[in-house]
Amino acid sequence: DSGVTQTPKHLITATGQRVTLRCSPRSGDLSVYWYQQSLDQGLQFLIQYYNGEERAKGNILERFSAQQFPDLHSELNLSSLELGDSALYFCASRGTSGANVLTFGAGSRLTVL
Amino acid sequence: AQSVTQPDIHITVSEGASLELRCNYSYGATPYLFWYVQSPGQGLQLLLKYFSGDTLVQGIKGFEAEFKRSQSSFNLRKPSVHWSDAAEYFCAVGAPGAQKLVFGQGTRLTINP
């Protein structure tokens, strides 16, 4: 158990729908990262939050949004889903002295039918 | 911007044989370098990291990696693989002070009994 908790583990939905993925970072970690893993794109960085504020943005679609709450958990919202959004979505957290060392959760597998 | 290339998509070795997984990075200065392992259905687990100093770093599960600045490489090695090493291996690079890690496409390792 890495200490990073992601829910749900699996999610099946239809095109056009909206889903929310949740992440709780390791205790004490202030930074949360979201990555998307797909067969054709590999591991792509989506977005990072630090103590509630957005710090870095990667290849995140406009249909996707995220936020980090005061209790430091984070949610990734995916809307107007398309077949190509089917992927494994990972959350990772980083401590204040972690120097880029990310601890990953087990991921949320999204299937869009 | 930094990038990572893992030239081998899939490698098969026999149990007990030695292993070397290749990783080449692109970055203008000395980056932070990482190897992560992903077992089926699991998140990514950190095997080892290089920040500075000794160019040969030891990690968990008997793995080691060597940073070679002249070749922009950070190859992962293990002298004798076990069946439990079958997994996907990811090399990643981070710029000191930057927020994110950039991952390679991964190398899938299969172990023959």
Side-chain angles (χ1 to χ4, degrees), chain B residues 16-71:
Chain B
S18 63
L19 172 71
E20 183 168 26
L21 302 182
R22 296 184 290 165
C23 171
N24 293 98
Y25 68 89
S26 174
Y27 181 63
T30 301
Y32 295 155
L33 294 162
F34 307 82
W35 276 98
Y36 282 83
V37 60
Q38 183 182 21
S39 298
Q42 303 293 317
L44 282 78
Q45 181 184 20
L46 180 68
L47 283 177
L48 48 76
K49 59 187 183 291
Y50 172 80
F51 292 156
S52 65
D54 192 347
T55 56
L56 185 63
V57 294
Q58 302 297 320
I60 62 171
K61 306 185 181 190
F63 285 92
E64 67 178 26
E66 186 171 12
F67 169 59
K68 291 186 177 180
R69 183 192 308 273
S70 61
Q71 298 176 19

Side-chain angles (χ1 to χ4, degrees), chain A residues 38-59:
Chain A
S38 60
L39 284 176
D40 54 344
Q41 296 289 324
L43 266 164
Q44 295 289 315
F45 168 69
L46 295 179
I47 198 164
Q48 182 222 351
Y49 281 83
Y50 176 82
N51 202 21
E53 293 187 3
E54 182 186 305
R55 278 296 177 91
K57 214 166 187 176
N59 302 321

Side-chain angles (χ1 to χ4, degrees), chain A:
Chain A
D1 183 3
S2 68
V4 178
T5 304
Q6 289 189 247
T7 57
K9 285 187 168 34
H10 301 277
L11 192 54
I12 301 174
T13 189
T15 55
Q17 296 298 305
R18 183 179 189 276
V19 298
T20 297
L21 309 180
R22 181 188 170 103
C23 169
S24 294
R26 287 188 317 169
S27 177
D29 286 358
L30 301 180
S31 281
V32 169
Y33 295 72
W34 287 97
Y35 279 82
Q36 179 194 57
Q37 185 181 35
S38 60
L39 284 176
D40 54 344
Q41 296 289 324
L43 266 164
Q44 295 289 315
F45 168 69
L46 295 179
I47 198 164
Q48 182 222 351
Y49 281 83
Y50 176 82
N51 202 21
E53 293 187 3
E54 182 186 305
R55 278 296 177 91
K57 214 166 187 176
N59 302 321
I60 188 166
L61 299 173
E62 285 193 11
R63 300 183 286 109
F64 296 0
S65 64
Q67 54 184 325
Q68 186 179 27
F69 295 86
D71 67 352
L72 301 177
H73 92 271
S74 178
E75 293 181 357
L76 179 66
N77 300 296
L78 315 175
S79 62
S80 303
L81 285 168
E82 302 175 359
L83 296 178
D85 298 328
S86 295
L88 197 50
Y89 291 85
F90 283 111
C91 169
S93 70
R94 178 168 68 99
T96 54
S97 60
N100 299 79
V101 177
L102 304 185
T103 300
F104 283 80
S108 292
R109 181 169 294 282
L110 173 66
T111 302
V112 182
L113 302 177

Side-chain angles (χ1 to χ4, degrees), chain B residues 6 8-15 17-21 37-40 47 63 76-78 80-90 106-112:
Chain B
Q6 292 180 247
D8 305 305
I9 295 174
H10 185 204
I11 283 182
T12 300
V13 298
S14 298
E15 191 168 14
S18 63
L19 172 71
E20 183 168 26
L21 302 182
V37 60
Q38 183 182 21
S39 298
L47 283 177
F63 285 92
L76 182 71
R77 300 193 294 249
K78 186 169 185 177
S80 176
V81 297
H82 185 262
W83 63 265
S84 60
D85 294 323
E88 184 122 23
Y89 291 80
F90 293 91
T107 298
R108 184 159 62 94
L109 176 64
T110 299
I111 307 293
N112 280 338

